[in-house]
Amino acid sequence: MSDTPPESPDSPGFDEMTRDIAEVPAVEVIVTVAVNLMSAAAVKLGLTEEGDKYKDLDEARKLVHALAGLLDASATEISSFHAAPLRDGLKSLQLAFREASIVPDEPGQGPGEKYTGPIYG
């Protein structure tokens, strides 16, 4: 753990951080969060160079489900230019989850399928 206390609203850096965040368009924030969720899910699915070292399907399920919810909720807020590749990545993660599961979920019951519909693979 770090000995540095978190920024508080009274600290000098907090105003600068708030100003920086205020300048970022909402679409960029949503896409950045989605990409971070995708990256974390890929790690937990064992899809990175480290392979199974960090594989944890329970954690991957949570991340994929959160990503699907975010994309579903923001579909009308972000353009198809941004949404299409994110949806493709989500589907790839859902298929990878299905393949990695010893006992695959029934179609429509996998992570995020509540939002995307059944994934077959």
Side-chain angles (χ1 to χ4, degrees), residues 42-96:
V43 169
K44 297 296 184 176
L45 284 167
L47 302 176
T48 59
E49 290 180 10
E50 293 85 10
D52 290 346
K53 182 176 179 182
Y54 300 109
K55 189 173 184 177
D56 183 335
L57 294 183
D58 184 51
E59 291 289 303
R61 176 183 294 278
K62 293 170 188 169
L63 292 163
V64 172
H65 190 76
L67 174 62
L70 174 64
L71 294 181
D72 183 59
S74 63
T76 59
E77 305 301 325
I78 61 177
S79 67
S80 59
F81 174 79
H82 294 292
L86 294 173
R87 281 193 211 108
D88 289 345
L90 170 61
K91 184 174 181 179
S92 295
L93 291 169
Q94 289 172 310
L95 288 169

